[in-house]
Amino acid sequence: MKFENNKFIKIKELANDVKSINFTRNAFYDKNWNEQTLKARGLYMRGDKVVARSYDKFFNLDEMPETQLRNLEHTLKFPVEVYYKENGFLGLLSWDHQTNDYFIASKSTNEGDYAKYFRDIITPKLNDDVKDFLQKNNVTMIFEVIDVVNDPHIISYDESNVILLDIVTNDLDKPIFYNYETLTKINAGCFKIKKQNCKIDNFDDLERFIKMIDGRYICEGFVIKDANNFRFKIKTAYYKYWKSMRKYVDEYIKTQTISLSEDECYNKFNVGLHWLELTLNDIYNDVLKEQKQMNVIDLRNALQNSLYTFTYILPRDV
């Protein structure tokens, strides 16, 4: 498969003749998805050989026709496996036989800040068993990287860590994913492993599970994988709430206003516009005027501690 001369794919030249291949922002925003752009996500190649790879791009529930419930009812192959979706950034680990060393990378490079963050967290966890496994098998270990110091996200974690999501063969066209049971055996206690929520045997039970997610879970969401390895994602209301709140806080930092009507503010955040502006003004004067930014975890804590109203109305960590 050729990725050159595709305006929706960015190819970056790295050391040791490795190329990083990723879809562009325009591909994402314009939803320009085809066989090439779906594969161009966390993909590293040397010539026509895969050095490391991630998943093909997959989508949220209802984001694409193939992930709409009415279509999933006819296309999913049961049973499906449901896994918690962790809230960090992508880390990839393989063995490069040309350099005779680990290949450690983030989504787009093995040289930038995020690759360094990943390398700093994972290196102390690497042992001879991991090295031997990677040397003997042409695979990539796919991780979610949690860095509470350098890159806090929306969901709060107690410590920095790496979470093993999957192991996949370095094949471009027909990758094989190791099953969950094999994943836990290969890991041998070296890394944390993605958490399985449940297995679901039929569409009616899946539909019931989807309906009860928002009122029960405080996490980013879930990844659902069927028996044919088709995947889709579901984000929780909690995650979407705070992601949206971050957007309007960034707006307030720049303009000291919020571009919402009273009704829109209440529908989005369950609080009145006046209360939100008053609280953000307090936070702005105390913190944001100097810092010009605040991660969403600190923002959430500040909002929940600023006003009695927020203490009881806003979603809270448990």
Coordinates of all heavy atoms in Angstrom, one line a residue, residues 103-179:
F103 N 12.0 -0.1 19.9 CA 11.5 1.0 19.2 C 10.4 1.5 20.0 O 9.4 0.8 20.2 CB 11.0 0.6 17.8 CG 10.5 1.8 17.0 CD1 11.4 2.5 16.2 CD2 9.2 2.1 16.9 CE1 11.0 3.6 15.5 CE2 8.7 3.2 16.2 CZ 9.7 4.0 15.5
I104 N 10.5 2.7 20.5 CA 9.6 3.3 21.5 C 9.1 4.6 20.9 O 9.8 5.5 20.6 CB 10.2 3.6 22.9 CG1 10.8 2.3 23.5 CG2 9.3 4.3 23.8 CD1 11.6 2.5 24.7
A105 N 7.7 4.7 20.7 CA 7.2 5.9 20.0 C 5.8 6.3 20.5 O 5.1 5.5 21.1 CB 7.1 5.6 18.5
S106 N 5.5 7.5 20.3 CA 4.1 8.0 20.5 C 3.4 7.9 19.2 O 3.9 7.1 18.3 CB 4.1 9.5 21.0 OG 4.7 10.3 20.0
K107 N 2.3 8.6 19.0 CA 1.5 8.4 17.8 C 2.2 8.8 16.5 O 2.0 8.2 15.5 CB 0.2 9.1 17.9 CG -0.8 8.9 16.7 CD -2.2 9.4 17.0 CE -2.2 10.9 17.0 NZ -3.6 11.4 17.1
S108 N 3.0 9.8 16.6 CA 3.6 10.4 15.4 C 5.1 10.4 15.3 O 5.7 10.7 14.2 CB 3.1 11.8 15.2 OG 3.5 12.7 16.2
T109 N 5.8 10.1 16.4 CA 7.3 10.2 16.4 C 7.9 9.4 17.5 O 7.2 9.1 18.5 CB 7.8 11.6 16.4 OG1 9.2 11.6 16.3 CG2 7.4 12.3 17.7
N110 N 9.1 9.0 17.3 CA 9.9 8.4 18.4 C 10.9 9.3 19.0 O 11.8 8.9 19.7 CB 10.6 7.1 17.9 CG 11.6 7.4 16.8 OD1 11.6 8.4 16.2 ND2 12.6 6.4 16.6
E111 N 10.8 10.6 18.6 CA 11.8 11.6 19.0 C 11.3 12.8 19.8 O 12.1 13.5 20.4 CB 12.4 12.2 17.7 CG 13.1 11.1 16.9 CD 13.5 11.6 15.5 OE1 13.0 12.7 15.1 OE2 14.4 11.0 14.8
G112 N 10.0 13.0 19.9 CA 9.4 14.2 20.6 C 9.2 14.0 22.0 O 9.6 13.0 22.7
D113 N 8.5 15.0 22.6 CA 8.3 15.0 24.1 C 7.4 13.8 24.5 O 7.8 13.2 25.6 CB 7.5 16.3 24.4 CG 8.4 17.6 24.3 OD1 9.7 17.4 24.3 OD2 7.9 18.7 24.3
Y114 N 6.4 13.5 23.8 CA 5.5 12.4 24.2 C 6.2 11.1 24.1 O 6.0 10.2 25.0 CB 4.2 12.5 23.4 CG 3.3 13.6 23.9 CD1 3.4 14.9 23.3 CD2 2.4 13.4 24.9 CE1 2.6 15.9 23.7 CE2 1.6 14.5 25.3 CZ 1.7 15.7 24.7 OH 0.9 16.7 25.2
A115 N 7.0 10.9 23.1 CA 7.8 9.7 23.1 C 8.8 9.6 24.3 O 9.0 8.5 24.9 CB 8.6 9.6 21.8
K116 N 9.3 10.7 24.7 CA 10.2 10.8 25.9 C 9.4 10.5 27.1 O 9.9 9.7 28.0 CB 10.9 12.1 26.0 CG 11.8 12.2 27.2 CD 12.4 13.6 27.3 CE 13.3 13.7 28.5 NZ 12.7 13.4 29.8
Y117 N 8.2 11.1 27.3 CA 7.4 10.8 28.5 C 7.1 9.3 28.5 O 7.2 8.6 29.6 CB 6.1 11.5 28.4 CG 6.2 13.0 28.3 CD1 5.1 13.8 27.7 CD2 7.3 13.7 28.8 CE1 5.2 15.1 27.6 CE2 7.3 15.1 28.7 CZ 6.3 15.8 28.1 OH 6.4 17.2 28.0
F118 N 6.7 8.7 27.4 CA 6.5 7.2 27.4 C 7.7 6.4 27.7 O 7.7 5.5 28.5 CB 6.0 6.9 26.0 CG 5.7 5.4 25.7 CD1 5.2 4.6 26.7 CD2 6.0 4.8 24.5 CE1 4.9 3.2 26.5 CE2 5.8 3.5 24.3 CZ 5.3 2.7 25.3
R119 N 8.8 6.8 27.1 CA 10.1 6.1 27.3 C 10.5 6.2 28.8 O 10.9 5.2 29.4 CB 11.2 6.7 26.5 CG 12.5 5.9 26.6 CD 13.6 6.6 25.6 NE 13.2 6.5 24.2 CZ 12.8 7.5 23.5 NH1 12.7 8.7 24.0 NH2 12.4 7.3 22.2
D120 N 10.3 7.3 29.4 CA 10.7 7.5 30.9 C 9.8 6.6 31.8 O 10.3 6.1 32.8 CB 10.5 8.9 31.3 CG 11.6 9.8 30.7 OD1 12.6 9.3 30.1 OD2 11.4 11.1 30.7
I121 N 8.6 6.4 31.4 CA 7.7 5.6 32.3 C 7.9 4.1 32.0 O 7.9 3.3 33.0 CB 6.2 6.0 32.0 CG1 6.0 7.5 32.4 CG2 5.3 5.1 32.8 CD1 4.6 8.0 32.1
I122 N 8.1 3.7 30.8 CA 8.1 2.3 30.4 C 9.5 1.7 30.7 O 9.5 0.5 31.0 CB 7.6 2.0 29.0 CG1 7.2 0.6 28.9 CG2 8.7 2.4 28.0 CD1 6.5 0.2 27.6
T123 N 10.5 2.4 30.5 CA 11.9 1.8 30.6 C 12.1 1.0 31.9 O 12.6 -0.1 31.8 CB 12.9 2.9 30.4 OG1 12.8 3.4 29.1 CG2 14.3 2.3 30.5
P124 N 11.7 1.6 33.0 CA 12.0 0.8 34.3 C 11.2 -0.5 34.3 O 11.5 -1.4 35.1 CB 11.5 1.7 35.4 CG 11.6 3.1 34.8 CD 11.2 2.9 33.3
K125 N 10.2 -0.6 33.5 CA 9.3 -1.8 33.5 C 9.8 -2.9 32.5 O 9.3 -4.0 32.6 CB 7.9 -1.4 33.2 CG 7.3 -0.4 34.2 CD 5.9 0.0 33.7 CE 5.3 1.1 34.6 NZ 5.1 0.6 36.0
L126 N 10.7 -2.6 31.7 CA 11.1 -3.5 30.7 C 12.1 -4.5 31.3 O 13.0 -4.2 32.1 CB 11.8 -2.8 29.5 CG 11.0 -1.8 28.8 CD1 11.8 -1.1 27.7 CD2 9.8 -2.5 28.1
N127 N 11.9 -5.8 30.9 CA 12.8 -6.9 31.4 C 13.1 -7.8 30.3 O 12.8 -7.7 29.2 CB 12.1 -7.6 32.6 CG 10.7 -8.2 32.2 OD1 10.5 -8.6 31.0 ND2 9.8 -8.2 33.1
D128 N 13.9 -8.9 30.7 CA 14.4 -9.8 29.7 C 13.2 -10.6 29.0 O 13.3 -10.9 27.8 CB 15.3 -10.8 30.3 CG 16.7 -10.2 30.7 OD1 17.0 -9.1 30.1 OD2 17.4 -10.7 31.5
D129 N 12.1 -10.8 29.7 CA 11.0 -11.5 29.2 C 10.4 -10.7 28.0 O 10.0 -11.2 27.0 CB 10.0 -11.9 30.2 CG 10.4 -13.0 31.2 OD1 11.3 -13.7 30.8 OD2 9.9 -13.0 32.3
V130 N 10.2 -9.4 28.3 CA 9.6 -8.5 27.3 C 10.6 -8.4 26.1 O 10.1 -8.6 24.9 CB 9.4 -7.1 27.9 CG1 8.9 -6.2 26.8 CG2 8.3 -7.2 29.0
K131 N 11.8 -8.3 26.4 CA 12.8 -8.2 25.3 C 12.8 -9.4 24.4 O 12.8 -9.4 23.2 CB 14.2 -7.9 25.9 CG 15.3 -7.8 24.9 CD 16.6 -7.5 25.6 CE 17.8 -7.4 24.6 NZ 19.1 -7.1 25.3
D132 N 12.8 -10.6 25.1 CA 12.9 -11.9 24.4 C 11.6 -12.1 23.5 O 11.7 -12.5 22.4 CB 13.0 -13.0 25.4 CG 13.1 -14.4 24.7 OD1 14.1 -14.6 24.0 OD2 12.2 -15.2 24.9
F133 N 10.5 -11.7 24.1 CA 9.2 -11.8 23.4 C 9.2 -11.0 22.1 O 8.8 -11.4 21.0 CB 8.0 -11.5 24.3 CG 6.7 -11.4 23.6 CD1 6.0 -12.6 23.2 CD2 6.1 -10.2 23.3 CE1 4.8 -12.5 22.5 CE2 4.9 -10.1 22.6 CZ 4.3 -11.3 22.2
L134 N 9.6 -9.7 22.2 CA 9.6 -8.8 21.1 C 10.6 -9.2 20.0 O 10.4 -9.1 18.8 CB 9.9 -7.4 21.6 CG 8.7 -6.7 22.3 CD1 9.2 -5.4 22.9 CD2 7.5 -6.5 21.5
Q135 N 11.8 -9.8 20.5 CA 12.8 -10.2 19.5 C 12.3 -11.4 18.7 O 12.7 -11.5 17.5 CB 14.1 -10.5 20.3 CG 14.8 -9.3 20.7 CD 16.1 -9.7 21.5 OE1 16.2 -10.7 22.1 NE2 17.1 -8.8 21.4
K136 N 11.5 -12.3 19.3 CA 11.1 -13.5 18.7 C 9.9 -13.3 17.8 O 9.6 -14.2 17.0 CB 10.9 -14.6 19.7 CG 12.2 -15.1 20.3 CD 12.0 -16.2 21.3 CE 13.2 -16.7 22.0 NZ 13.0 -17.7 23.0
N137 N 9.1 -12.3 18.1 CA 7.8 -12.1 17.4 C 7.8 -10.7 16.8 O 8.1 -9.7 17.4 CB 6.7 -12.2 18.4 CG 6.6 -13.6 19.1 OD1 6.1 -14.6 18.5 ND2 7.2 -13.7 20.3
N138 N 7.3 -10.7 15.6 CA 7.3 -9.4 14.9 C 5.9 -8.7 15.2 O 5.0 -8.7 14.5 CB 7.3 -9.7 13.4 CG 7.4 -8.4 12.6 OD1 7.8 -7.4 13.1 ND2 7.0 -8.5 11.3
V139 N 5.9 -8.1 16.4 CA 4.7 -7.5 16.9 C 4.9 -6.1 17.5 O 6.1 -5.7 17.7 CB 4.1 -8.4 18.0 CG1 3.7 -9.8 17.5 CG2 5.0 -8.5 19.2
T140 N 3.8 -5.4 17.8 CA 3.9 -4.1 18.5 C 3.0 -4.3 19.7 O 1.9 -4.8 19.6 CB 3.3 -3.0 17.6 OG1 4.2 -2.8 16.5 CG2 3.3 -1.7 18.4
M141 N 3.5 -3.8 20.9 CA 2.7 -3.7 22.1 C 2.1 -2.3 22.1 O 2.8 -1.3 22.0 CB 3.5 -3.9 23.3 CG 4.0 -5.4 23.5 SD 4.9 -5.5 25.1 CE 4.9 -7.3 25.2
I142 N 0.8 -2.2 22.2 CA 0.1 -0.9 22.1 C -0.3 -0.5 23.6 O -0.9 -1.3 24.3 CB -1.2 -1.0 21.3 CG1 -0.8 -1.5 19.9 CG2 -1.9 0.4 21.2 CD1 -2.0 -1.7 19.0
F143 N 0.1 0.7 24.0 CA -0.2 1.1 25.3 C -1.0 2.4 25.4 O -0.9 3.3 24.5 CB 1.2 1.4 26.1 CG 2.0 0.2 26.3 CD1 2.9 -0.2 25.4 CD2 1.9 -0.5 27.5 CE1 3.7 -1.3 25.6 CE2 2.7 -1.6 27.8 CZ 3.6 -2.0 26.8
E144 N -1.7 2.6 26.5 CA -2.2 3.9 26.9 C -1.2 4.4 27.9 O -0.9 3.7 28.9 CB -3.6 3.8 27.5 CG -4.3 5.1 27.6 CD -5.0 5.6 26.4 OE1 -5.0 4.8 25.4 OE2 -5.6 6.7 26.3
V145 N -0.7 5.6 27.7 CA 0.3 6.2 28.6 C -0.4 7.3 29.5 O -1.0 8.2 29.0 CB 1.4 6.9 27.8 CG1 2.5 7.3 28.8 CG2 2.0 5.9 26.8
I146 N -0.3 7.1 30.8 CA -0.9 8.0 31.8 C 0.3 8.7 32.4 O 1.1 8.1 33.1 CB -1.7 7.2 32.8 CG1 -2.7 6.3 32.2 CG2 -2.3 8.2 33.8 CD1 -3.7 6.9 31.4
D147 N 0.4 10.0 32.1 CA 1.4 10.9 32.7 C 0.8 12.0 33.5 O 0.3 13.0 32.9 CB 2.3 11.4 31.6 CG 3.6 12.1 32.1 OD1 3.5 12.6 33.3 OD2 4.6 12.1 31.4
V148 N 0.7 11.8 34.8 CA 0.0 12.8 35.6 C 0.7 14.1 35.8 O 0.2 15.1 36.3 CB -0.4 12.2 37.0 CG1 -1.2 10.9 36.8 CG2 0.9 11.8 37.8
V149 N 2.0 14.1 35.5 CA 2.9 15.3 35.6 C 2.9 16.1 34.4 O 2.6 17.3 34.4 CB 4.3 14.9 36.1 CG1 5.2 16.1 36.2 CG2 4.3 14.1 37.4
N150 N 3.2 15.5 33.3 CA 3.5 16.2 32.0 C 2.2 16.4 31.2 O 2.2 17.3 30.3 CB 4.6 15.6 31.2 CG 5.9 15.6 31.9 OD1 6.5 16.6 32.2 ND2 6.4 14.4 32.2
D151 N 1.3 15.5 31.3 CA 0.1 15.5 30.4 C -1.2 15.0 31.1 O -1.7 14.0 30.7 CB 0.5 14.6 29.2 CG -0.5 14.7 28.1 OD1 -1.0 15.9 27.8 OD2 -0.9 13.7 27.5
P152 N -1.6 15.7 32.1 CA -2.9 15.3 32.7 C -4.0 15.5 31.8 O -4.1 16.5 31.1 CB -3.0 16.2 34.0 CG -2.2 17.4 33.6 CD -1.0 16.9 32.8
H153 N -4.9 14.5 31.7 CA -6.1 14.6 30.8 C -7.3 14.9 31.6 O -7.3 15.6 32.6 CB -6.2 13.2 30.1 CG -5.3 13.1 28.9 ND1 -4.0 13.3 29.0 CD2 -5.6 12.8 27.6 CE1 -3.4 13.1 27.8 NE2 -4.4 12.8 26.9
I154 N -8.5 14.4 31.2 CA -9.7 14.8 31.8 C -10.1 13.8 33.0 O -10.6 14.3 34.0 CB -10.9 14.7 30.8 CG1 -10.7 15.9 29.8 CG2 -12.3 14.8 31.4 CD1 -11.6 15.9 28.6
I155 N -9.7 12.6 32.9 CA -9.9 11.6 34.0 C -8.7 11.7 34.9 O -7.6 11.6 34.5 CB -10.2 10.2 33.5 CG1 -11.4 10.2 32.5 CG2 -10.4 9.2 34.6 CD1 -12.7 10.7 33.1
S156 N -9.0 11.7 36.2 CA -7.9 11.8 37.2 C -7.3 10.4 37.5 O -8.1 9.4 37.7 CB -8.5 12.4 38.5 OG -7.5 12.4 39.5
Y157 N -6.0 10.3 37.6 CA -5.3 9.1 38.0 C -4.4 9.4 39.1 O -3.9 10.5 39.3 CB -4.5 8.6 36.8 CG -5.3 8.0 35.7 CD1 -5.8 8.8 34.6 CD2 -5.6 6.6 35.6 CE1 -6.5 8.3 33.6 CE2 -6.3 6.1 34.6 CZ -6.8 6.9 33.6 OH -7.5 6.4 32.5
D158 N -4.1 8.4 40.0 CA -3.2 8.6 41.1 C -1.8 8.7 40.8 O -1.0 9.3 41.5 CB -3.4 7.4 42.1 CG -4.8 7.4 42.7 OD1 -5.4 8.5 42.8 OD2 -5.3 6.4 43.1
E159 N -1.3 8.0 39.7 CA 0.1 8.0 39.4 C 0.3 7.8 37.9 O -0.6 7.4 37.1 CB 0.8 6.8 40.1 CG 0.2 5.5 39.7 CD 0.9 4.3 40.5 OE1 1.8 4.6 41.3 OE2 0.5 3.1 40.3
S160 N 1.5 8.1 37.4 CA 1.8 7.8 36.0 C 2.0 6.3 35.8 O 2.6 5.7 36.7 CB 3.1 8.6 35.6 OG 2.9 10.0 35.8
N161 N 1.6 5.9 34.6 CA 1.7 4.4 34.4 C 1.5 4.2 32.9 O 1.1 5.1 32.1 CB 0.7 3.6 35.2 CG 1.2 2.3 35.6 OD1 2.1 1.7 34.9 ND2 0.8 1.8 36.8
V162 N 1.8 2.9 32.5 CA 1.4 2.5 31.1 C 0.5 1.3 31.3 O 0.6 0.5 32.2 CB 2.7 2.1 30.3 CG1 3.5 3.3 30.0 CG2 3.5 1.0 31.0
I163 N -0.5 1.3 30.4 CA -1.5 0.2 30.4 C -1.5 -0.5 29.0 O -1.7 0.2 28.0 CB -2.9 0.8 30.7 CG1 -2.9 1.6 32.0 CG2 -4.0 -0.2 30.6 CD1 -4.1 2.4 32.2
L164 N -1.2 -1.8 29.1 CA -1.1 -2.5 27.8 C -2.5 -2.8 27.3 O -3.4 -3.4 27.9 CB -0.4 -3.9 28.1 CG -0.2 -4.8 26.9 CD1 0.6 -4.2 25.8 CD2 0.4 -6.1 27.4
L165 N -2.8 -2.3 26.1 CA -4.1 -2.4 25.5 C -4.2 -3.6 24.6 O -5.2 -4.3 24.6 CB -4.4 -1.1 24.7 CG -4.3 0.2 25.4 CD1 -4.6 1.3 24.4 CD2 -5.3 0.2 26.6
D166 N -3.1 -3.8 23.8 CA -3.2 -4.9 22.8 C -1.8 -5.2 22.3 O -0.9 -4.4 22.5 CB -4.1 -4.6 21.6 CG -5.5 -5.0 21.8 OD1 -5.8 -6.2 21.9 OD2 -6.4 -4.1 21.8
I167 N -1.7 -6.4 21.7 CA -0.4 -6.8 21.0 C -0.9 -7.2 19.6 O -1.8 -8.0 19.4 CB 0.3 -8.0 21.7 CG1 0.7 -7.6 23.1 CG2 1.5 -8.4 20.9 CD1 1.3 -8.7 23.9
V168 N -0.2 -6.6 18.6 CA -0.7 -6.9 17.2 C 0.6 -7.2 16.4 O 1.6 -6.6 16.6 CB -1.4 -5.6 16.7 CG1 -0.5 -4.4 16.7 CG2 -1.9 -5.9 15.3
T169 N 0.4 -8.1 15.4 CA 1.5 -8.4 14.5 C 1.7 -7.2 13.6 O 0.8 -6.5 13.2 CB 1.1 -9.6 13.6 OG1 -0.1 -9.4 12.9 CG2 1.0 -10.9 14.5
N170 N 3.0 -7.0 13.2 CA 3.4 -5.9 12.4 C 3.1 -6.2 10.9 O 4.0 -6.4 10.1 CB 4.9 -5.6 12.6 CG 5.2 -5.0 13.9 OD1 4.3 -4.2 14.4 ND2 6.3 -5.2 14.5
D171 N 1.9 -6.4 10.6 CA 1.4 -6.6 9.3 C 0.5 -5.5 8.9 O -0.4 -5.1 9.7 CB 0.6 -8.0 9.3 CG 0.2 -8.4 7.9 OD1 -0.6 -7.7 7.3 OD2 0.8 -9.4 7.3
L172 N 0.7 -5.0 7.7 CA -0.1 -3.8 7.3 C -1.5 -4.1 6.9 O -2.4 -3.4 7.3 CB 0.6 -3.1 6.1 CG 0.0 -1.8 5.6 CD1 0.1 -0.7 6.7 CD2 0.8 -1.3 4.4
D173 N -1.7 -5.2 6.1 CA -3.0 -5.5 5.5 C -3.9 -6.5 6.4 O -5.1 -6.3 6.4 CB -2.8 -6.1 4.1 CG -2.1 -5.1 3.2 OD1 -2.5 -3.9 3.2 OD2 -1.2 -5.5 2.4
K174 N -3.2 -7.4 7.0 CA -4.0 -8.4 7.8 C -3.4 -8.6 9.2 O -2.8 -9.7 9.5 CB -4.0 -9.7 7.0 CG -4.8 -9.7 5.7 CD -4.8 -11.0 5.0 CE -5.6 -10.9 3.7 NZ -5.6 -12.2 2.9
P175 N -3.4 -7.6 10.0 CA -2.8 -7.7 11.3 C -3.6 -8.7 12.2 O -4.9 -8.8 12.1 CB -2.9 -6.3 11.9 CG -4.1 -5.7 11.2 CD -4.1 -6.3 9.8
I176 N -2.9 -9.4 13.0 CA -3.6 -10.4 14.0 C -3.4 -9.8 15.4 O -2.2 -9.5 15.8 CB -2.9 -11.8 13.8 CG1 -3.2 -12.3 12.4 CG2 -3.5 -12.7 14.9 CD1 -2.4 -13.6 12.1
F177 N -4.5 -9.7 16.1 CA -4.4 -9.2 17.5 C -4.4 -10.4 18.4 O -5.2 -11.4 18.3 CB -5.6 -8.3 17.8 CG -5.5 -6.9 17.2 CD1 -5.9 -6.7 15.9 CD2 -5.0 -5.9 17.9 CE1 -5.7 -5.4 15.3 CE2 -4.8 -4.6 17.4 CZ -5.2 -4.4 16.1
Y178 N -3.6 -10.4 19.4 CA -3.5 -11.5 20.4 C -4.8 -11.4 21.3 O -5.3 -10.3 21.5 CB -2.3 -11.3 21.3 CG -1.0 -11.7 20.7 CD1 -0.6 -11.2 19.5 CD2 -0.2 -12.6 21.4 CE1 0.6 -11.6 18.9 CE2 1.0 -13.0 20.8 CZ 1.4 -12.5 19.6 OH 2.6 -12.9 19.1
N179 N -5.4 -12.5 21.6 CA -6.6 -12.5 22.5 C -6.3 -12.0 23.9 O -5.1 -12.0 24.3 CB -7.3 -13.8 22.4 CG -6.5 -14.9 23.0 OD1 -5.8 -14.8 24.0 ND2 -6.7 -16.1 22.4

